[in-house]
Amino acid sequence: MVTQDSRRKKNNILFRCDATPAVALGHLKRCLTLADVFRASGWGVVFVVAQDSSAEENLRQSRYPFSVVQSGANALEDYRLTEQTAQRYDTSIVVIDQYSIDNAYRRKLKDCGLMLVSLTDSPYTTIASHIVVSGTISDQANA
């Protein structure tokens, strides 16, 4: 018997973040926390991270599939790997928690039909994204 739920496409989400010595583990850890919530809700989860043994070990321990952006890759190579990984895992949403990804990269992902969510600590920057989540937004008028 075909039910409405069985016809529904499975949701998949991709996290693009890094955990290199330059940025530490914070970005990866907060994305892993979000990923755990999505996985518990039945979503498929995949990561794309810059080459780093600590990041890769954390992802292996968490049992998430991941792709690795090789050291020295330029922005176009990074974008291509992210877009290919999104296609391979039939991803509908990409969460970016990585400061060096510029708006041109983000627009390309949006142009592929992906819902783009950006996590940032910089509330005063324009970010090409469907949803921007900032942990630093405050009421400056009352400061």
Side-chain angles (χ1 to χ4, degrees):
M1 178 174 165
V2 177
T3 65
Q4 186 172 0
D5 286 340
S6 67
R7 289 178 290 164
R8 197 177 290 164
K9 179 180 169 184
K10 182 176 179 181
N11 294 317
N12 296 301
I13 189 166
L14 182 150
F15 288 88
R16 176 62 186 93
C17 61
D18 291 335
T20 62
V23 298
L25 287 171
H27 298 277
L28 177 62
K29 291 295 189 178
R30 71 179 167 189
C31 287
L32 282 168
T33 300
L34 289 170
D36 290 344
V37 172
F38 277 95
R39 181 166 56 188
S41 298
W43 286 64
V45 176
V46 63
F47 279 78
V48 174
V49 296
Q51 187 173 21
D52 180 83
S53 59
S54 181
E56 294 170 41
E57 183 56 31
N58 271 271
L59 289 166
R60 272 193 282 282
Q61 288 177 3
S62 298
R63 298 180 185 232
Y64 287 113
F66 62 94
S67 296
V68 176
V69 177
Q70 296 301 311
S71 241
N74 63 35
L76 182 58
E77 294 165 329
D78 188 313
Y79 159 76
R80 284 183 180 150
L81 179 63
T82 300
E83 194 266 335
Q84 289 167 357
T85 304
Q87 282 185 1
R88 184 175 336 119
Y89 287 91
D90 198 22
T91 299
S92 56
I93 300 174
V94 174
V95 177
I96 296 177
D97 188 1
Q98 211 270 9
Y99 299 140
S100 68
I101 292 178
D102 64 14
N103 279 335
Y105 182 125
R106 293 170 201 268
R107 281 188 204 94
K108 285 180 189 174
L109 289 174
K110 286 175 67 178
D111 289 347
C112 291
L114 296 164
M115 170 68 73
L116 191 59
V117 178
S118 294
L119 307 180
T120 182
D121 295 327
S122 304
Y124 305 108
T125 336
T126 301
I127 298 174
S129 191
H130 292 97
I131 299 170
V132 177
V133 179
S134 175
T136 58
I137 294 178
S138 63
D139 184 1
Q140 293 296 316
N142 292 327

